[in-house]
């Protein structure tokens, strides 16, 4: 299949290819992702543990089949694998995947990384996964609803799908584009396109039309000056959703 017929924006992929070598540099371009990662892991594990009465005694993801869609260099994939999940990470960037594979070798984690779109993977592994994570990826694809549909197809019925992205409003423009890219240069200029940000109501609507019921939502507060990060009620800027497959 040609890149054009895939749900892939080659320019977006190129941006991540160029900076992939920095993926595990804790003070580099991916510093914000490293900083919010523990909060994502906390949110994900808490919800899996709540769903699953058999897992009181563990952290929620232990032994679960997880697929991390748009895994990049593997920040979340590795955290979940360390907790005992069987993780598959998929991405359409060659360099991010190379970095992810090398890093997993260094850390001694067995993670199955593949270059494949969510849509193609959904055709070959329908209903295979207990948990699907799709973090900070929907705002980089031409058709986010198609990725949501694929995530819904990848998960087992009763399983959980987690999405995180950026809300679309003036505040997210000022914080995620003006402050993060232009003033504080936390991430490279042009990392995000405000038009591609997604309102929670829109994301929840897409999810529900593909049999994913949104059961919780949380904001992710991130203050680069105070280095303060926490889960908050407000979904104004960064947010994460937990959906259950009906
Ligand atoms: N989910 C990771 C990385 C986010 S960066 C994390 O939050 O830690 C966004 C990633 O999405 C990049 O690695 C980029 O290569 C990937 N990506 C962008 N478009 C994609 C597509 N259509 N299919 C798969 N991956 C894609």
């Amino acid at each position: 299949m040609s890149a054009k017929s895939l749900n892939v924006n080659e320019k977006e992929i190129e941006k991540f290819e160029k900076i992939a070598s920095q993926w595990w540099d804790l003070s580099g371009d991916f510093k914000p992702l490293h900083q919010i990662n523990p909060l994502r892991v906390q949110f994900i594990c808490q919800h899996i543990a709540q769903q699953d009465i058999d897992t009181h005694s563990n952290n929620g993801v232990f032994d679960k089949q997880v697929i991390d869609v748009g895994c990049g260099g593997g920040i979340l994939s590795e955290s979940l694998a360390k907790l005992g999940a069987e993780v598959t990470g998929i991405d359409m960037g060659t360099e991010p995947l190379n970095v992810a594979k090398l890093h997993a070798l260094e850390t001694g984690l067995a993670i199955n990384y593949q270059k494949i779109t969510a849509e193609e993977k959904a055709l070959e592994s329908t209903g295979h996964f207990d948990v699907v994570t799709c973090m900070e990826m929907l705002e980089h694809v031409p058709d986010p609803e198609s990725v949501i549909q694929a995530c819904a197809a990848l998960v087992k019925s009763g399983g959980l799908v987690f999405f995180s992205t950026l809300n679309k409003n003036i505040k997210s423009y000022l914080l995620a584009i003006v402050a993060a890219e232009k003033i504080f240069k936390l991430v490279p200029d042009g990392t995000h396109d405000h038009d591609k940000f997604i309102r929670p109501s829109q994301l929840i609507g897409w999810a529900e039309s593909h049999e994913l019921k949104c059961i919780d939502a949380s904001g992710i507060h991130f203050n680069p000056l105070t280095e303060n990060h926490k889960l908050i009620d407000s979904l104004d800027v960064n947010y994460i959703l937990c959906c259950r497959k009906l």
Side-chain angles (χ1 to χ4, degrees):
M1 216 184 286
S2 76
K4 271 200 179 135
S5 58
L6 295 174
N7 182 21
V8 176
N9 179 338
E10 286 299 328
K11 289 214 170 80
E12 290 291 318
I13 300 294
E14 273 166 33
K15 284 190 215 167
F16 291 101
E17 302 271 16
K18 274 195 194 135
I19 55 171
S21 62
Q22 291 193 48
W23 219 289
W24 287 91
D25 175 353
L26 300 186
S27 48
D29 288 343
F30 294 98
K31 182 177 176 184
L33 286 186
H34 285 281
Q35 290 186 316
I36 62 170
N37 194 52
L39 299 173
R40 314 190 292 197
V41 173
Q42 178 194 330
F43 184 84
I44 292 166
C45 290
Q46 215 173 352
H47 280 288
I48 302 169
Q50 271 167 16
Q51 287 297 300
D52 201 339
I53 42 169
D54 296 334
T55 56
H56 301 303
S57 53
N58 73 47
N59 54 44
V61 287
F62 184 80
D63 253 1
K64 291 278 187 284
Q65 289 287 336
V66 177
I67 183 160
D68 188 16
V69 173
C71 60
I75 297 173
L76 179 67
S77 302
E78 283 207 7
S79 296
L80 298 178
K82 272 190 193 138
L83 293 170
E86 299 264 324
V87 182
T88 299
I90 62 169
D91 202 284
M92 285 303 282
T94 305
E95 280 311 308
L97 284 172
N98 285 341
V99 168
K101 285 177 194 163
L102 268 178
H103 200 269
L105 270 182
E106 279 170 28
T107 43
L109 291 165
I111 300 175
N112 176 17
Y113 285 116
Q114 295 174 4
K115 184 174 177 181
I116 186 168
T117 62
E119 290 87 347
E120 290 172 304
K121 187 71 184 169
L123 292 178
E124 67 174 51
S125 304
T126 312
H128 179 78
F129 295 94
D130 301 300
V131 175
V132 179
T133 58
C134 180
M135 306 279 113
E136 315 304 328
M137 183 265 198
L138 293 173
E139 68 273 23
H140 300 288
V141 299
D143 179 358
E145 185 180 1
S146 164
V147 174
I148 292 166
Q149 181 173 15
C151 291
L154 284 163
V155 75
K156 289 179 182 161
S157 98
L160 297 182
V161 183
F162 296 87
F163 297 108
S164 73
T165 189
L166 284 147
N167 198 344
K168 186 155 52 177
N169 53 36
I170 301 273
K171 189 170 168 186
S172 68
Y173 176 72
L174 291 174
L175 289 177
I177 310 256
V178 179
E181 291 186 11
K182 322 275 181 217
I183 302 177
F184 297 113
K185 306 200 184 304
L186 295 174
V187 292
D189 196 4
T191 296
H192 285 117
D193 172 359
H194 192 253
D195 286 344
K196 299 291 293 174
F197 289 8
I198 305 171
R199 291 188 187 89
S201 56
Q202 169 90 81
L203 214 174
I204 290 169
W206 281 331
E208 294 193 342
S209 57
H210 298 290
E211 299 188 352
L212 292 175
K213 182 174 169 42
C214 178
I215 56 174
D216 195 17
S218 179
I220 301 180
H221 171 77
F222 164 67
N223 184 331
L225 297 180
T226 59
E227 306 251 312
N228 181 10
H229 312 95
K230 58 185 177 191
L231 292 174
I232 51 169
D233 290 337
S234 164
L235 309 183
D236 282 356
V237 188
N238 293 82
Y239 65 96
I240 182 165
L241 300 184
C242 171
C243 303
R244 188 175 51 233
K245 178 77 183 283
L246 301 177

